[in-house]
Amino acid sequence: MISKKMLDSLNNHLNEEVYSSYLYLSMAAYFEEKNLKGFGQWFKIQSQEEYMHGMKFYDFINQTGGKVNLKAIAAPKTNWKSIMEVFKDTLAHEKHITELINKLVGQAMQEKNYATNNFLQWFVTEQVEEEANVEEIINKLEMIGDNKGGLYMLDRELGARTTAG
Ligand code: OFO
């Protein structure tokens, strides 16, 4: 049996993942408008991936016999000063999500809810990967600086991303 408190926390987190999807879609739109289609594509896929994360919570809540309660999705930021700012915001957001996942794990352990703890472990691993991916792109952007050719190459590289994993 899952506690009401744990269920509320899982429902709150479902909203966080769907918000992440919305935030990254807003970043995709920012890049598409600037004709940086590769960056736009990367964020569109990232948005799909976050939606899938939300759906994992949706399915798990249902499997435990709980009820999914959808809440309002906050409006995301729509404009950034630079490409770097977009990725710095992305990294900060992923660190925030990591913190939330860690808190959920702490709660599941405290409640001795082993099934929820086990479900959350996938996200613990995923967050390490997510943060590392964004940090890698930030490093590349630092190397590129104002070099237009480098930016063109990175746009092509990121545009090759086709599947949410
Ligand atoms: Fe970006 O991993 Fe979900 O939120």
Side-chain angles (χ1 to χ4, degrees), residues 121-154:
Q121 290 310 308
W122 184 89
F123 287 91
V124 171
T125 309
E126 173 71 8
Q127 283 310 115
V128 175
E129 200 184 300
E130 294 263 280
E131 286 188 29
N133 288 343
V134 181
E135 269 166 9
E136 194 186 318
I137 297 172
I138 289 176
N139 287 342
K140 285 182 182 170
L141 283 170
E142 270 165 3
M143 273 191 294
I144 288 168
D146 289 334
N147 184 314
K148 290 252 186 307
L151 198 60
Y152 173 77
M153 294 293 287
L154 185 58

Side-chain angles (χ1 to χ4, degrees), residues 17 20 24 46 50 53 93-94 97 123 126-127 130:
E17 295 290 343
S20 302
Y24 295 150
Q46 190 66 20
E50 298 300 353
H53 293 172
H93 183 68
E94 287 302 330
I97 295 289
F123 287 91
E126 173 71 8
Q127 283 310 115
E130 294 263 280

Side-chain angles (χ1 to χ4, degrees), residues 65-137:
K67 162 128 182 26
V68 167
N69 282 319
L70 298 179
K71 300 166 208 302
I73 305 163
K77 188 169 165 180
T78 54
N79 218 352
W80 287 266
K81 285 194 208 83
S82 63
I83 297 176
M84 185 61 102
E85 193 187 59
V86 178
F87 282 93
K88 288 265 165 82
D89 275 9
T90 302
L91 184 59
H93 183 68
E94 287 302 330
K95 284 181 190 281
H96 161 71
I97 295 289
T98 300
E99 227 176 274
L100 294 178
I101 294 284
N102 289 344
K103 275 193 190 147
L104 286 176
V105 170
Q107 189 184 341
M109 282 165 66
Q110 201 186 13
E111 293 188 17
K112 294 192 170 33
N113 185 332
Y114 303 114
T116 300
N117 183 22
N118 189 47
F119 163 73
L120 291 168
Q121 290 310 308
W122 184 89
F123 287 91
V124 171
T125 309
E126 173 71 8
Q127 283 310 115
V128 175
E129 200 184 300
E130 294 263 280
E131 286 188 29
N133 288 343
V134 181
E135 269 166 9
E136 194 186 318
I137 297 172

Side-chain angles (χ1 to χ4, degrees), residues 58-74:
Y58 176 98
D59 288 336
F60 183 72
I61 291 167
N62 280 322
Q63 279 164 7
T64 60
K67 162 128 182 26
V68 167
N69 282 319
L70 298 179
K71 300 166 208 302
I73 305 163

